[in-house]
Amino acid sequence: MRTIRRCVAFGLLLLAALLYLGNTDLLAPARSGAPVLLAHRGIAQQFDTAGLTRDSCTATRMLPPTHGYLENTIDSMQASFAAGADIVELDVHPTTDGQFAVFHDWTLDCRTDGRGVTREHAMADLRRLDLGYGYTADGGRTFPFRGKGVGLMPSLDEVLQRFPERTFLINVKSNDPAEGAKLAAVLNRLTPERRGRLLVYGGDNPVAALRAQAPDIKAMSRASLKSCLLRYLGTGWTGTAPEACRAMVVFVPINVAPWLWGWPNRFLARMEAVGSPVFVIGAYHGGDHSTGIDSREDVARLPAGYAGGVFTNEIEAVASWLKPGRPAAP
């Protein structure tokens, strides 16, 4: 009996040693280069997130402005790339004339001088709106961007034409499968090379429809991300990524990352092997608000020498910390 117990103990120790050696980052090859920076909505006006809900009007919660850019506009995207962004995230809605408008909100009332559901308008009508109309940092006493955002809402086609060599993460705002099919049709008209620089995320239904019709586009939904990470937690010790993680965008909350087998370099390499870029986001504590790596404290939580993706709402500051020496945004 004692011999059996010794054999079992030795076997367990050997298994633990093999798991450690196969997954410890201490023995993983170092990755070179700077982190890949993903600018959420480009350079945007920041807002108070205390008590934020899905229906909160963020334009009326704006913090005192430190720059003149409005999110999801051509100028904001250009400034983001100039500041050091490698990828810009943008939001889209289908329009009644068969295009996609680049705009965050489900309705127009909060941010613009328009009214109603965004997707129930034609692109020509949306272009006439003032994107800066609703922004206020003092409870409505002043509106510093009113009159300055007229004509600034672009279509997705305009963005892709303006930045033909750039990478974008496209956010589908609905859970309508027809929207995923429409977006797939738009993206399938592009060259394979151009499609290879586009990423998509959004609702489970539209992402599933898009993946079925445009399988070469890396796409993610909440359900697909959950499936990927849970399966990896269960099987990542084997040294491979599960099929659920293949050819998608992988968001990893900074407080979840240390629990992933081989974090960071082995994990990044395993996801890279199945064609899936990884982006660290802010800590997840439930809820729908998109948090990013936005402060020095957040950046300090990244592993030393980290060279994966970083999702941020503060591209100007984060780029200056993670890519020092770049010129400031104009």
Side-chain angles (χ1 to χ4, degrees):
M1 182 63 71
R2 182 177 297 177
T3 300
I4 294 175
R5 286 200 297 267
R6 287 177 176 172
C7 289
V8 170
F10 177 77
L12 292 174
L13 287 173
L14 180 60
L15 177 60
L18 291 174
L19 286 175
Y20 175 80
L21 293 173
N23 290 283
T24 178
D25 196 60
L26 296 175
L27 302 178
R31 299 174 68 88
S32 61
V36 177
L37 302 186
L38 195 169
H40 184 217
R41 303 188 209 170
I43 294 182
Q45 297 300 320
Q46 299 305 317
F47 49 85
D48 182 4
T49 61
L52 193 70
T53 69
R54 181 187 292 271
D55 298 321
S56 296
C57 176
T58 58
T60 61
R61 302 163 65 100
M62 181 181 70
L63 300 177
T66 59
H67 57 75
Y69 297 108
L70 297 174
E71 64 183 50
N72 278 316
T73 61
I74 296 290
D75 286 347
S76 166
M77 296 172 198
Q78 179 64 59
S80 298
F81 289 125
D86 300 288
I87 305 171
V88 167
E89 186 263 8
L90 53 81
D91 308 289
V92 297
H93 299 265
T95 62
T96 58
D97 54 351
Q99 299 188 63
F100 277 93
V102 178
F103 185 68
H104 176 269
D105 296 357
W106 185 258
T107 60
L108 301 168
D109 306 63
C110 164
R111 216 170 293 278
T112 81
D113 54 345
R115 296 290 181 268
V117 177
T118 305
R119 63 195 287 147
E120 294 176 359
H121 293 73
M123 193 67 229
D125 296 330
L126 294 174
R127 281 199 187 92
R128 286 193 283 267
L129 298 177
D130 180 3
L131 292 188
Y133 188 85
Y135 286 85
T136 179
D138 54 15
R141 291 188 295 276
T142 62
F143 293 85
F145 294 104
R146 186 166 287 185
K148 299 179 181 179
V150 178
L152 295 188
M153 188 186 301
S155 69
L156 179 59
D157 285 343
E158 288 176 290
V159 171
L160 297 182
Q161 290 168 11
R162 177 65 179 79
F163 303 101
E165 304 297 324
R166 293 294 192 175
T167 300
F168 290 94
L169 172 62
I170 301 169
N171 183 15
V172 178
K173 301 302 295 184
S174 79
N175 199 28
D176 179 5
E179 186 170 341
K182 291 177 182 177
L183 182 58
V186 169
L187 301 185
N188 281 337
R189 294 198 296 266
L190 304 174
T191 66
E193 180 184 14
R194 186 69 185 101
R195 289 200 304 274
R197 289 193 293 273
L198 298 176
L199 313 169
V200 175
Y201 78 126
D204 296 335
N205 291 331
V207 166
L210 180 137
R211 296 191 80 167
Q213 298 187 32
D216 60 332
I217 299 290
K218 295 178 174 63
M220 175 200 76
S221 69
R222 182 183 292 266
S224 67
L225 178 62
K226 182 178 179 180
S227 176
C228 166
L229 293 182
L230 287 178
R231 281 170 170 74
Y232 185 80
L233 285 169
T235 65
W237 58 271
T238 63
T240 60
E243 187 63 26
C245 296
R246 182 173 295 278
M248 64 177 288
V249 181
V250 180
F251 279 4
V252 177
I254 191 67
N255 56 332
V256 172
W259 297 96
L260 298 173
W261 296 99
W263 175 257
N265 291 329
R266 290 186 188 275
F267 177 78
L268 293 174
R270 291 165 186 173
M271 292 299 141
E272 187 177 88
V274 295
S276 298
V278 175
F279 299 92
V280 175
I281 64 175
Y284 179 73
H285 300 294
D288 297 314
H289 175 56
S290 298
T291 62
I293 302 301
D294 299 331
S295 67
R296 285 191 180 275
E297 291 75 19
D298 293 333
V299 168
R301 297 179 69 177
L302 295 172
Y306 178 74
V310 173
F311 175 101
T312 181
N313 295 289
E314 296 279 4
I315 184 60
E316 318 99 292
V318 171
S320 71
W321 300 330
L322 292 177
K323 293 183 175 180
R326 289 194 63 92

